[in-house]
Amino acid sequence: LCVPAVPVLFKQALKNTDVEEGESISLRCELTKADATVVWKKGEATLQASAKYEMKQKGTVAELVIHNAEPEDA
């Protein structure tokens, strides 16, 4: 028996968002599969949970919160 895995796709992609410097911003995306592994990246660098970056995931919704936003976070 061979059962190929259904690929995880975006149901709702990230949207461009503006934020004032020093504020926090929340970026969300919705996936087609619950609890799929999500890796947040900025360019080639993988972001890690820290005081600056907070990663949350509940069911099909993944969220990245960027605290104290700076122009370099664009």
Side-chain angles (χ1 to χ4, degrees):
L1 175 65
C2 181
V3 180
V6 176
V8 178
L9 304 171
F10 288 106
K11 284 175 73 175
Q12 178 185 343
L14 290 173
K15 295 179 182 176
N16 287 332
T17 308
D18 294 327
V19 65
E20 294 290 324
E21 186 172 0
E23 293 184 352
S24 293
I25 182 76
S26 175
L27 304 173
R28 293 182 190 170
C29 62
E30 187 174 356
L31 309 167
T32 56
K33 198 173 191 179
D35 300 318
T37 301
V38 174
V39 177
W40 293 94
K41 292 187 170 197
K42 180 179 179 221
E44 296 296 317
T46 299
L47 301 178
Q48 301 294 326
S50 64
K52 175 90 174 165
Y53 302 113
E54 181 181 354
M55 289 91 169
K56 303 176 186 178
Q57 190 167 355
K58 185 172 183 180
T60 59
V61 177
E63 180 179 13
L64 170 67
V65 180
I66 302 173
H67 299 285
N68 192 26
E70 303 171 292
E72 295 81 24
D73 294 317

